[in-house]
């Protein structure tokens, strides 16, 4: 699903009020009765005003009726929730305008946005539960028929968890984006100007980069955490030119700095299946380095049991407690984990449903592929404005009344 902000500017304050009323009503109702929407919105214009707003919102797909409903009511759509989140980000001045989409997976949309100073940021919109675990047996029974398993709830949990970990990791000095704001199923973070490892075809010293990535994984472990999806898509590689130095071929010398993203699936080193996830993360890196750079480490491991011994050592702050500290309950953690595992299993069974536009097949030369975004027109690309900031193609301001 694509975030489409076009209708945003046409919404009047009453429309926003009614949209917020539908959201509030959906805490207890899958389908929010119109009478309840009226009661929550309390518009000056009374029922007829509410009806007009409902029809405006339904027309642009922010709320929808359900088939075979037994009463007159509406539910919030993904689009509706997107608008509410963006509206909040705009009110809090985290986001001023929305630009193009950089990444599309089945579980998230990644958009470039900008704040009111024109600085570019990333908006990550979680879309968990979009594929509704239909073909998966694992965890399906746990999630089935639970109102708490709704996409809205699960996507919000993913955003809360990701934001909490990004904040805790950043505070401890880990190389992760700067968390800026969280609302509903979305987070705003700093834009990392670096490609994913996946897009890097060669590096001067694979052994050094490998060692650095393993050291980072062990540093997570020491702080009580396993990333859980430590792979070439979730590690961005920043290249910094070393001033005045050249390599043996006379090329500019660069240093490579990994920056880790994507935290909804992080787990504690004390999780029941910690060893399996730890090994999976390690093997992901090993396999990638072997395939891409033909590099195989001569050192075996690292092994979970050794990493476990370092937990909390040298004054390392335990970060696996960060989530609970942010008000995330055990039930929330269990619900989210069940959804993520179900999604993983679904991915394994039906990989084609998960192929995102940028995730081409294995070693394909997909590096330079431009997204098909209609915002990508090249005409104004490289002009810089007076402050030296690049205008972003067709940025649409988020209008708040
Ligand atoms: P998902 O959960 O869908 O995998 P990710 O958080 O991994 O979402 O983001 C998907 C892609 O979007 C990444 O592989 C990366 O290319 C890009 N991306 C995400 N966050 C950032 C960021 N802060 N800066 C730059 N690119 C990002
Ligand atoms: Mg990812």
């Amino acid at each position: 699903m694509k975030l489409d902000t076009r209708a945003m500017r046409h919404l009047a304050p009453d429309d926003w009020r009614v949209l917020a009323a539908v959201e509030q009503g959906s805490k207890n109702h899958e389908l929010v009765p119109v009478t309840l929407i009226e009661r929550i919105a309390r518009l000056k214009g009374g029922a007829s005003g509410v009806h007009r707003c409902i029809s405006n919102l339904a027309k642009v797909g922010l709320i929808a009726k359900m088939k075979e409903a037994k009463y007159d009511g509406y539910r919030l759509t993904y689009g509706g929730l997107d608008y509410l989140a963006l509206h909040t980000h705009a009110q809090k001045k985290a986001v001023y305008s929305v630009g193009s989409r950089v990444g599309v997976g089945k579980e998230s949309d990644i958009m470039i946005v900008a704040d009111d100073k024109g600085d570019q940021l990333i908006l990550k919109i979680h879309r968990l539960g979009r594929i509704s675990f239909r073909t998966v047996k694992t965890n399906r029974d746990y999630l089935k028929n639970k109102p708490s398993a709704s996409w809205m709830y699960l996507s919000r949990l993913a955003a809360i968890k990701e934001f909490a970990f990004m904040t805790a990791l950043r505070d401890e000095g880990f190389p992760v984006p700067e968390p800026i704001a969280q609302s509903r199923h979305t987070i705003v973070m700093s834009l990392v100007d670096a490609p994913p490892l996946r897009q890097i075809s060669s590096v001067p010293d694979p052994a050094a980069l490998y060692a650095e990535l393993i050291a980072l994984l062990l540093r997570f472990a020491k702080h009580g955490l396993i990333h859980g999806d430590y792979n070439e898509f979730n590690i961005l590689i920043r290249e910094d030119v070393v001033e005045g130095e050249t390599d043996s071929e006379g090329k500019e010398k660069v240093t490579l700095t990994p920056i880790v993203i994507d935290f909804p699936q992080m787990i504690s080193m004390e999780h029941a299946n910690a060893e399996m996830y730890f090994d999976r993360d390690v093997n992901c890196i090993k396999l990638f380095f072997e395939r891409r750079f033909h590099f195989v480490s001569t050192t075996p491991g690292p092994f979970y049991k050794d990493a476990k011994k370092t937990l909390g050592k040298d004054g390392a702050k335990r970060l696996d407690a960060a989530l609970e500290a942010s008000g995330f309950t055990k039930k929330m953690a269990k619900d989210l984990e069940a959804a993520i595992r179900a999604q993983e299993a679904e991915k394994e069974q039906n990989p084609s449903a998960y192929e995102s536009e940028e995730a081409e097949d294995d070693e394909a030369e997909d590096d330079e592929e431009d997204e098909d975004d209609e915002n990508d027109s090249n005409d104004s690309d490289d002009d810089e404005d007076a402050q030296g900031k690049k205008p972003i193609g067709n940025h649409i301001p988020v209008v708040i009344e």
Side-chain angles (χ1 to χ4, degrees), residues 102-103 105-108 110 122 124 126 162 177 189-194 196 229 233-234 236 261-262 264 358:
V102 274
K106 285 287 186 291
E107 290 131 275
S108 76
I110 310 285
I122 288 283
K124 177 170 178 179
H126 287 271
E162 177 150 52
M189 63 182 126
S190 61
L191 168 75
V192 179
D193 189 11
D229 202 8
F233 297 96
N234 293 331
L236 310 179
I261 58 167
D262 204 355
E358 70 264 86

Side-chain angles (χ1 to χ4, degrees), residues 14 58 83 176 243 247 252 256 267 293 356 359 362 371 387:
D14 278 357
Y83 271 41
V176 299
E243 290 287 328
D247 65 11
E252 280 176 324
L256 302 181
I267 57 160
F293 307 125
S356 62
D362 226 32
E371 289 299 295
Q387 283 91 43

Side-chain angles (χ1 to χ4, degrees), residues 364-376:
E365 297 294 320
D366 55 350
D367 304 2
E368 301 304 325
E369 244 178 345
D370 247 356
E371 289 299 295
D372 63 342
D373 223 280
E374 60 277 11
N375 294 339
D376 275 354

Side-chain angles (χ1 to χ4, degrees), residues 220-250:
F220 278 123
K222 197 169 175 179
H223 286 265
L225 289 174
I226 298 170
H227 184 280
D229 202 8
Y230 199 60
N231 62 33
E232 64 272 25
F233 297 96
N234 293 331
I235 299 167
L236 310 179
I237 303 289
R238 205 179 61 215
E239 295 185 13
D240 300 307
V241 175
V242 185
E243 290 287 328
E245 284 191 40
T246 50
D247 65 11
S248 53
E249 290 163 28

Side-chain angles (χ1 to χ4, degrees), residues 379-385 389-391:
D379 29 352
S380 65
D381 253 12
D382 284 319
D383 314 342
E384 295 201 347
D385 68 10
K389 293 215 177 73
K390 279 192 180 180

Side-chain angles (χ1 to χ4, degrees), residues 67-309:
K67 269 186 213 141
E68 294 161 29
K70 297 205 174 64
Y71 56 88
D72 196 15
Y74 288 84
R75 64 175 178 86
L76 200 61
T77 64
Y78 251 127
L81 195 65
D82 292 354
Y83 271 41
L84 286 164
L86 259 182
H87 196 242
T88 299
H89 288 312
Q91 278 175 323
K92 297 201 169 148
K93 304 218 180 303
V95 173
Y96 173 74
S97 62
V98 176
S100 54
R101 188 169 52 161
V102 274
V104 208
K106 285 287 186 291
E107 290 131 275
S108 76
D109 284 342
I110 310 285
M111 311 283 304
I112 293 198
V113 296
D115 63 16
D116 53 1
K117 296 189 291 300
D119 287 334
Q120 296 186 33
L121 304 166
I122 288 283
L123 172 74
K124 177 170 178 179
I125 308 176
H126 287 271
R127 307 259 187 232
L128 203 64
R130 179 156 47 181
I131 287 189
S132 53
F133 322 120
R134 265 159 307 162
T135 60
V136 196
K137 185 86 188 97
T138 340
N139 286 316
R140 188 176 55 193
D141 298 337
Y142 177 76
L143 292 165
K144 201 165 70 181
N145 297 330
K146 286 202 172 184
S148 64
S150 79
W151 58 265
M152 213 191 288
Y153 167 73
L154 294 170
S155 302
R156 184 168 62 90
L157 294 188
I160 294 173
K161 181 172 171 184
E162 177 150 52
F163 193 77
F165 277 129
M166 201 183 286
T167 306
L169 288 166
R170 180 91 183 181
D171 287 349
E172 283 311 296
F174 278 87
V176 299
E178 180 193 348
I180 293 168
Q182 183 256 323
S183 170
R184 300 172 177 87
H185 60 326
T186 69
I187 62 177
V188 180
M189 63 182 126
S190 61
L191 168 75
V192 179
D193 189 11
L197 177 58
R198 158 103 182 158
Q199 288 184 15
I200 311 268
S201 53
S202 71
V203 292
D205 187 355
L209 184 59
Y210 173 84
E212 187 162 359
L213 293 178
I214 294 295
L216 194 49
L217 179 148
L218 291 173
R219 192 171 152 209
F220 278 123
K222 197 169 175 179
H223 286 265
L225 289 174
I226 298 170
H227 184 280
D229 202 8
Y230 199 60
N231 62 33
E232 64 272 25
F233 297 96
N234 293 331
I235 299 167
L236 310 179
I237 303 289
R238 205 179 61 215
E239 295 185 13
D240 300 307
V241 175
V242 185
E243 290 287 328
E245 284 191 40
T246 50
D247 65 11
S248 53
E249 290 163 28
K251 282 196 220 137
E252 280 176 324
K253 203 169 160 198
V254 293
T255 55
L256 302 181
T257 307
I259 293 148
V260 184
I261 58 167
D262 204 355
F263 311 111
Q265 69 294 316
M266 274 203 137
I267 57 160
S268 165
M269 276 289 281
E270 290 181 316
H271 186 279
N273 300 323
E275 181 159 13
M276 188 272 280
Y277 291 116
F278 181 90
D279 289 348
R280 197 172 73 176
D281 276 1
V282 170
N283 289 331
C284 240
I285 297 300
K286 283 187 185 278
L287 189 64
F288 180 79
F289 270 70
E290 191 177 339
R291 281 202 192 156
R292 176 65 56 93
F293 307 125
H294 310 294
F295 170 80
V296 181
S297 170
T298 50
T299 325
F303 299 107
Y304 172 76
K305 63 175 183 354
D306 300 326
K308 185 89 190 276
K309 289 185 202 135

